[in-house]
Amino acid sequence: MCTSSAGKQGRSLCRRKKNMNKVILKGRLTRDPDVRYTTSNEPVCIARFTLAVEDRERAKGEDGNYPANFVPCVCMSRLAEISEANLCKGKEILLCGKMQSGSYTNKEGKKVYTLECFVKEIEYCGKKEDSPMPYDGQGFMNIPDDLDDELPFR
């Protein structure tokens, strides 16, 4: 049974949301996304990366930083392609997804259990100049001058 300090209202919320699996994380990529495609008839793009998330509930270390949790993340299809084009090591992002467990047998024949975040949404954090889009200082996207002949309007 779900217990809540919110009284009856809190308990009824728990009854309605028995099987919720949603995670929201903010952190920095520890490396560039590793992108691969499946070998099926219609290849699907899969991007994997690790997100370093500060744990502010624990005390700061000797270096003055909070300890981090390293969460393996997986993106599929169009979101994986966008991740490949726009994410890089050190980039700060906010993501929404679900946790999924799995297992496999390693080379030594032992069963290994995994827990990954399957990403459904990504938001970019940080300063505008860190944005992956090529904006100028006034918030407009830079368009090369030599495109005038290719534009369908004038």
Side-chain angles (χ1 to χ4, degrees):
M1 179 173 181
C2 179
T3 58
S4 171
S5 61
K8 290 180 183 178
Q9 185 178 14
R11 285 192 292 274
S12 66
L13 175 64
C14 290
R15 273 191 234 118
R16 283 185 277 152
K17 303 287 186 185
K18 284 184 180 178
N19 298 317
M20 185 188 310
N21 181 358
K22 184 174 186 173
V23 62
I24 300 170
L25 300 170
K26 181 180 179 185
R28 294 187 182 276
L29 273 72
T30 61
R31 58 182 165 80
D32 292 349
D34 177 29
V35 179
R36 298 178 185 192
Y37 289 84
T38 61
T39 57
S40 60
N41 291 340
E42 292 185 32
V44 176
C45 185
I46 300 172
R48 294 179 180 275
F49 55 87
T50 302
L51 195 68
V53 181
E54 285 185 343
D55 187 349
R56 293 181 177 255
E57 292 184 3
R58 298 190 326 200
K60 288 184 178 181
E62 292 178 8
D63 59 357
N65 295 324
Y66 290 102
N69 293 310
F70 298 93
V71 182
C73 301
V74 179
C75 300
M76 306 281 287
S77 303
R78 182 71 180 129
L79 188 57
E81 294 171 358
I82 292 169
S83 298
E84 178 183 27
N86 297 310
L87 298 182
C88 61
K89 180 179 177 178
K91 181 78 176 161
E92 186 177 28
I93 61 170
L94 177 76
L95 62 80
C96 182
K98 68 176 189 170
M99 297 304 291
Q100 185 166 326
S101 62
S103 65
Y104 65 92
T105 305
N106 66 12
K107 293 177 184 177
E108 291 82 36
K110 293 186 179 182
K111 195 166 193 175
V112 178
Y113 293 94
T114 62
L115 184 63
E116 298 174 313
C117 177
F118 273 73
V119 181
K120 296 182 180 184
E121 299 175 48
I122 294 177
E123 295 285 332
Y124 302 109
C125 300
K127 299 176 185 172
K128 192 177 203 178
E129 55 266 14
D130 294 338
S131 172
M133 297 297 290
Y135 291 106
D136 67 11
Q138 299 174 349
F140 295 100
M141 188 173 196
N142 293 325
I143 299 176
D145 293 331
D146 59 345
L147 286 180
D148 288 339
D149 297 335
E150 297 178 27
L151 295 175
F153 54 88
R154 293 194 199 259

Coordinates of all heavy atoms in Angstrom, one line a residue, residues 15-59:
R15 N -3.3 4.8 -6.0 CA -4.2 3.7 -6.5 C -4.4 3.9 -8.0 O -4.4 2.9 -8.8 CB -5.5 3.7 -5.8 CG -5.5 2.8 -4.6 CD -6.9 2.6 -4.1 NE -6.9 3.0 -2.7 CZ -7.6 3.9 -2.2 NH1 -8.5 4.6 -2.9 NH2 -7.5 4.2 -0.9
R16 N -4.5 5.1 -8.5 CA -4.7 5.4 -9.9 C -3.5 5.2 -10.7 O -3.5 4.8 -11.9 CB -5.2 6.8 -10.1 CG -6.7 7.0 -9.8 CD -7.2 8.3 -10.1 NE -6.8 9.2 -9.0 CZ -6.5 10.5 -9.1 NH1 -6.6 11.1 -10.2 NH2 -6.2 11.2 -8.0
K17 N -2.3 5.4 -10.1 CA -1.0 5.3 -10.9 C -0.2 4.1 -10.4 O 0.9 4.3 -10.0 CB -0.2 6.6 -10.7 CG -1.0 7.8 -11.1 CD -1.0 7.9 -12.6 CE -1.6 9.2 -13.1 NZ -1.8 9.3 -14.5
K18 N -0.8 2.9 -10.3 CA -0.1 1.8 -9.8 C 1.2 1.4 -10.5 O 2.2 1.1 -9.9 CB -1.0 0.5 -9.9 CG -2.1 0.5 -8.8 CD -2.9 -0.7 -8.9 CE -3.9 -0.8 -7.8 NZ -4.7 -2.0 -7.9
N19 N 1.2 1.5 -11.8 CA 2.4 1.1 -12.6 C 3.1 2.2 -13.3 O 3.2 2.1 -14.5 CB 2.0 0.0 -13.5 CG 1.5 -1.2 -12.8 OD1 2.0 -1.6 -11.8 ND2 0.4 -1.8 -13.2
M20 N 3.4 3.3 -12.7 CA 4.1 4.4 -13.3 C 5.6 4.2 -13.5 O 6.2 3.7 -12.5 CB 3.8 5.7 -12.6 CG 4.4 6.9 -13.4 SD 4.4 8.5 -12.5 CE 2.8 8.7 -11.8
N21 N 6.1 4.4 -14.6 CA 7.5 4.3 -14.9 C 7.9 5.5 -15.7 O 7.9 5.5 -16.9 CB 7.8 3.0 -15.7 CG 9.3 2.8 -15.9 OD1 10.1 3.7 -15.6 ND2 9.7 1.7 -16.5
K22 N 8.3 6.6 -15.0 CA 8.7 7.8 -15.7 C 9.9 8.4 -14.9 O 9.9 8.4 -13.7 CB 7.6 8.8 -15.7 CG 7.9 10.1 -16.4 CD 6.6 11.0 -16.5 CE 7.0 12.2 -17.4 NZ 5.7 13.0 -17.7
V23 N 10.9 8.8 -15.7 CA 12.1 9.4 -15.1 C 12.4 10.7 -15.8 O 12.3 10.8 -17.0 CB 13.3 8.4 -15.1 CG1 13.7 8.1 -16.5 CG2 14.4 9.0 -14.3
I24 N 12.8 11.7 -15.0 CA 13.3 13.0 -15.6 C 14.7 13.2 -15.0 O 14.9 13.2 -13.8 CB 12.3 14.2 -15.2 CG1 10.9 13.9 -15.7 CG2 12.9 15.5 -15.7 CD1 9.9 14.8 -15.2
L25 N 15.6 13.4 -15.9 CA 17.0 13.6 -15.5 C 17.6 14.8 -16.1 O 17.4 15.1 -17.3 CB 17.9 12.3 -15.9 CG 17.4 11.0 -15.3 CD1 18.2 9.9 -16.0 CD2 17.7 11.0 -13.9
K26 N 18.5 15.5 -15.4 CA 19.3 16.6 -15.9 C 20.7 16.3 -15.6 O 21.1 16.0 -14.5 CB 18.9 17.9 -15.3 CG 19.6 19.1 -15.9 CD 19.2 20.4 -15.2 CE 20.0 21.5 -15.8 NZ 19.6 22.8 -15.1
G27 N 21.6 16.4 -16.7 CA 23.0 16.1 -16.5 C 23.8 16.4 -17.7 O 23.3 17.0 -18.7
R28 N 25.0 15.9 -17.7 CA 25.9 16.1 -18.9 C 26.3 14.8 -19.4 O 26.5 13.8 -18.7 CB 27.2 16.9 -18.4 CG 26.8 18.3 -18.0 CD 28.1 19.1 -17.7 NE 27.8 20.4 -17.3 CZ 27.5 21.5 -18.1 NH1 27.6 21.3 -19.4 NH2 27.3 22.7 -17.6
L29 N 26.5 14.8 -20.8 CA 27.0 13.6 -21.5 C 28.4 13.3 -21.1 O 29.2 14.2 -21.1 CB 26.8 13.7 -23.0 CG 25.5 13.3 -23.6 CD1 24.4 14.3 -23.2 CD2 25.6 13.1 -25.0
T30 N 28.8 12.0 -20.8 CA 30.1 11.7 -20.5 C 31.0 11.4 -21.7 O 32.2 11.4 -21.7 CB 30.2 10.5 -19.6 OG1 29.6 9.3 -20.3 CG2 29.5 10.7 -18.3
R31 N 30.3 11.2 -22.9 CA 31.0 11.0 -24.2 C 30.0 11.2 -25.3 O 28.8 11.4 -25.0 CB 31.5 9.5 -24.2 CG 30.4 8.5 -24.1 CD 30.9 7.1 -24.1 NE 30.0 6.1 -23.7 CZ 28.9 5.6 -24.4 NH1 28.7 6.0 -25.6 NH2 28.1 4.7 -23.8
D32 N 30.4 11.3 -26.5 CA 29.6 11.5 -27.7 C 28.7 10.3 -27.8 O 29.1 9.1 -27.5 CB 30.4 11.6 -29.0 CG 31.1 13.0 -29.0 OD1 30.9 13.8 -28.1 OD2 32.0 13.1 -29.9
P33 N 27.4 10.4 -28.3 CA 26.5 9.3 -28.5 C 27.2 8.2 -29.4 O 27.8 8.6 -30.4 CB 25.3 9.9 -29.1 CG 25.3 11.3 -28.7 CD 26.8 11.7 -28.7
D34 N 27.0 7.0 -29.1 CA 27.4 5.9 -29.9 C 26.2 5.5 -30.7 O 25.2 5.0 -30.2 CB 27.9 4.7 -29.0 CG 28.2 3.5 -29.8 OD1 28.7 3.6 -31.0 OD2 28.1 2.3 -29.3
V35 N 26.2 5.7 -32.0 CA 25.1 5.5 -32.9 C 25.3 4.3 -33.8 O 26.4 4.2 -34.5 CB 24.8 6.8 -33.8 CG1 23.6 6.6 -34.7 CG2 24.6 8.0 -32.9
R36 N 24.3 3.4 -33.9 CA 24.3 2.2 -34.7 C 23.0 2.1 -35.4 O 22.0 2.6 -34.9 CB 24.7 1.0 -33.9 CG 26.1 1.1 -33.3 CD 26.4 -0.1 -32.5 NE 27.7 0.2 -31.9 CZ 28.4 -0.8 -31.3 NH1 28.0 -2.0 -31.2 NH2 29.6 -0.5 -30.7
Y37 N 22.9 1.2 -36.4 CA 21.7 0.9 -37.1 C 21.4 -0.6 -37.0 O 22.4 -1.4 -37.1 CB 21.7 1.4 -38.5 CG 21.7 2.9 -38.7 CD1 22.8 3.7 -38.6 CD2 20.5 3.5 -38.9 CE1 22.8 5.0 -38.7 CE2 20.4 4.9 -39.0 CZ 21.6 5.7 -38.9 OH 21.5 7.0 -39.0
T38 N 20.2 -1.0 -36.8 CA 19.8 -2.4 -36.8 C 20.0 -2.9 -38.2 O 20.0 -2.2 -39.2 CB 18.4 -2.6 -36.4 OG1 17.5 -1.9 -37.3 CG2 18.2 -2.1 -35.0
T39 N 20.1 -4.2 -38.4 CA 20.3 -4.9 -39.7 C 19.0 -5.5 -40.2 O 19.1 -6.4 -41.1 CB 21.4 -6.0 -39.5 OG1 21.0 -6.9 -38.6 CG2 22.7 -5.4 -39.2
S40 N 17.9 -5.0 -39.8 CA 16.6 -5.5 -40.3 C 16.3 -4.9 -41.7 O 17.1 -4.1 -42.2 CB 15.5 -5.1 -39.3 OG 15.4 -3.7 -39.2
N41 N 15.2 -5.3 -42.3 CA 14.8 -4.8 -43.6 C 14.7 -3.3 -43.6 O 15.0 -2.6 -44.6 CB 13.5 -5.4 -44.0 CG 13.6 -6.9 -44.3 OD1 14.7 -7.4 -44.6 ND2 12.5 -7.6 -44.3
E42 N 14.1 -2.7 -42.5 CA 14.0 -1.3 -42.4 C 14.9 -0.9 -41.2 O 14.5 -1.0 -40.0 CB 12.6 -0.8 -42.1 CG 11.7 -1.0 -43.3 CD 10.3 -0.4 -43.1 OE1 10.2 0.5 -42.4 OE2 9.4 -1.0 -43.7
P43 N 16.2 -0.5 -41.5 CA 17.1 -0.2 -40.3 C 16.6 0.9 -39.4 O 15.9 1.9 -39.8 CB 18.4 0.3 -41.0 CG 18.2 -0.2 -42.4 CD 16.8 -0.2 -42.7
V44 N 16.8 0.7 -38.1 CA 16.4 1.6 -37.1 C 17.6 2.2 -36.4 O 18.5 1.4 -36.1 CB 15.5 0.9 -36.0 CG1 15.1 1.9 -34.9 CG2 14.2 0.4 -36.6
C45 N 17.7 3.5 -36.3 CA 18.8 4.1 -35.6 C 18.7 4.0 -34.1 O 17.6 4.2 -33.5 CB 18.9 5.6 -36.0 SG 20.3 6.5 -35.4
I46 N 19.8 3.6 -33.4 CA 19.9 3.5 -32.0 C 21.1 4.3 -31.5 O 22.2 4.0 -32.0 CB 20.0 2.0 -31.6 CG1 18.8 1.2 -32.1 CG2 20.1 1.9 -30.0 CD1 18.9 -0.2 -31.9
A47 N 20.9 5.2 -30.6 CA 21.9 6.0 -30.0 C 22.0 5.7 -28.5 O 21.0 5.6 -27.8 CB 21.7 7.5 -30.2
R48 N 23.3 5.4 -28.1 CA 23.5 5.2 -26.6 C 24.5 6.2 -26.1 O 25.5 6.5 -26.8 CB 24.1 3.8 -26.5 CG 23.1 2.7 -26.8 CD 23.8 1.3 -26.6 NE 22.9 0.2 -27.0 CZ 22.0 -0.3 -26.1 NH1 21.9 0.2 -24.9 NH2 21.1 -1.2 -26.5
F49 N 24.3 6.7 -24.9 CA 25.2 7.6 -24.2 C 25.0 7.4 -22.7 O 24.0 6.8 -22.3 CB 25.0 9.0 -24.7 CG 23.6 9.6 -24.5 CD1 23.2 10.1 -23.3 CD2 22.7 9.5 -25.6 CE1 21.9 10.6 -23.2 CE2 21.4 10.0 -25.4 CZ 21.0 10.6 -24.2
T50 N 25.9 8.0 -22.0 CA 25.8 7.9 -20.5 C 25.7 9.4 -20.0 O 26.4 10.3 -20.5 CB 27.1 7.3 -19.9 OG1 27.2 6.0 -20.4 CG2 27.0 7.2 -18.4
L51 N 24.7 9.6 -19.1 CA 24.4 10.9 -18.6 C 25.0 10.9 -17.1 O 24.6 10.1 -16.3 CB 22.9 11.1 -18.6 CG 22.5 12.6 -18.4 CD1 22.9 13.4 -19.6 CD2 21.0 12.7 -18.2
A52 N 25.8 11.9 -16.8 CA 26.3 12.1 -15.4 C 25.3 13.1 -14.7 O 25.2 14.2 -15.2 CB 27.7 12.7 -15.5
V53 N 24.7 12.6 -13.7 CA 23.7 13.4 -13.0 C 24.2 13.6 -11.6 O 24.5 12.6 -10.8 CB 22.3 12.6 -12.9 CG1 21.3 13.4 -12.2 CG2 21.9 12.2 -14.4
E54 N 24.2 14.9 -11.2 CA 24.7 15.2 -9.8 C 23.7 14.7 -8.8 O 22.5 14.8 -9.0 CB 24.8 16.7 -9.6 CG 26.0 17.3 -10.3 CD 26.1 18.8 -10.0 OE1 25.2 19.4 -9.5 OE2 27.2 19.3 -10.2
D55 N 24.2 14.2 -7.7 CA 23.4 13.7 -6.6 C 23.5 14.7 -5.4 O 24.4 14.6 -4.6 CB 23.9 12.3 -6.1 CG 22.9 11.7 -5.1 OD1 22.0 12.4 -4.6 OD2 23.1 10.5 -4.8
R56 N 22.6 15.7 -5.4 CA 22.7 16.8 -4.5 C 22.3 16.4 -3.1 O 22.3 17.2 -2.2 CB 21.9 18.0 -5.0 CG 22.6 18.6 -6.2 CD 21.8 19.8 -6.7 NE 22.5 20.4 -7.8 CZ 23.3 21.5 -7.8 NH1 23.3 22.1 -6.6 NH2 23.9 21.9 -8.8
E57 N 21.8 15.2 -2.9 CA 21.4 14.7 -1.6 C 22.6 14.2 -0.8 O 22.5 14.0 0.4 CB 20.3 13.7 -1.7 CG 19.0 14.2 -2.2 CD 17.9 13.2 -2.2 OE1 18.1 12.1 -1.7 OE2 16.8 13.6 -2.6
R58 N 23.7 13.9 -1.4 CA 24.9 13.5 -0.8 C 25.8 14.7 -0.6 O 25.7 15.7 -1.3 CB 25.6 12.4 -1.6 CG 24.7 11.2 -1.7 CD 25.4 10.0 -2.3 NE 26.4 10.2 -3.3 CZ 26.8 9.3 -4.1 NH1 26.3 8.1 -4.1 NH2 27.7 9.5 -5.0
A59 N 26.7 14.6 0.3 CA 27.7 15.7 0.7 C 28.6 15.9 -0.5 O 29.0 15.0 -1.2 CB 28.4 15.4 1.9

